Every structure is written in structure tokens, then in C-alpha cells.
Amino acid sequence: MTKIEYLQEPCLICHTIQEDMLHLLEKPICTCCEQVIINTDCDQPEMYLFHVSRLKKIWLNEIDIREEGTF
């Protein structure tokens, strides 16, 4: 993947492409979604579970990549 392709990946949460993106394990999250995640309380079950499911994709992908490289 080229640097330009890397910078133009859509946000894992909202699927938008923004100029300033946070990369968590090389997966982009826009600053707007980052703020929503940071400010979501556990007592907001729908929002909380939605963000957990999206972030879980990052974690599971990272585990899959590492397992592919092991014997």
C-alpha cells in the first residue's frame, strides 16, 4: 500500500475520509469518531456496543495477521 492509499483509507467507524486521522494498529479512525468513542459511557448500551464491535475488528484483524506469520 502506498502512502497516498494509506492516507486515503476511510474511517473504520463512519467510513469517511478526513485529512487528520488517528491510526490505531494501522486502521484509521477520524477525529470526530475518536471524540465520540472517548465520550461514550458504558451506560449508553447501544453506542457503547456499536463502538466496541468496530474496535473489535481492529483487534481481530491484528490477531489474524500475527497468526498467519506463525507456524
Side-chain angles (χ1 to χ4, degrees):
M1 177 180 297
T2 68
K3 185 176 181 178
I4 291 181
E5 289 171 332
Y6 179 76
L7 295 174
Q8 293 179 345
E9 273 191 280
C11 173
L12 183 69
I13 309 293
C14 68
H15 307 289
T16 63
I17 297 174
Q18 294 185 8
E19 192 172 310
D20 190 23
M21 304 279 271
L22 164 75
H23 283 80
L24 180 62
L25 296 174
E26 298 185 16
K27 298 296 180 189
I29 299 175
C30 70
T31 54
C32 181
C33 287
E34 174 192 11
Q35 288 303 308
V36 171
I37 291 168
I38 289 169
N39 294 311
T40 299
D41 290 325
C42 293
D43 63 351
Q44 297 172 300
E46 289 178 14
M47 288 291 288
Y48 181 79
L49 291 174
F50 172 76
H51 288 105
V52 166
S53 71
R54 294 291 191 184
L55 294 172
K56 187 176 178 180
K57 287 182 174 187
I58 295 172
W59 177 252
L60 292 176
N61 187 40
E62 182 67 17
I63 289 173
D64 290 343
I65 291 170
R66 289 183 185 191
E67 288 177 354
E68 286 175 11
T70 60
F71 297 97

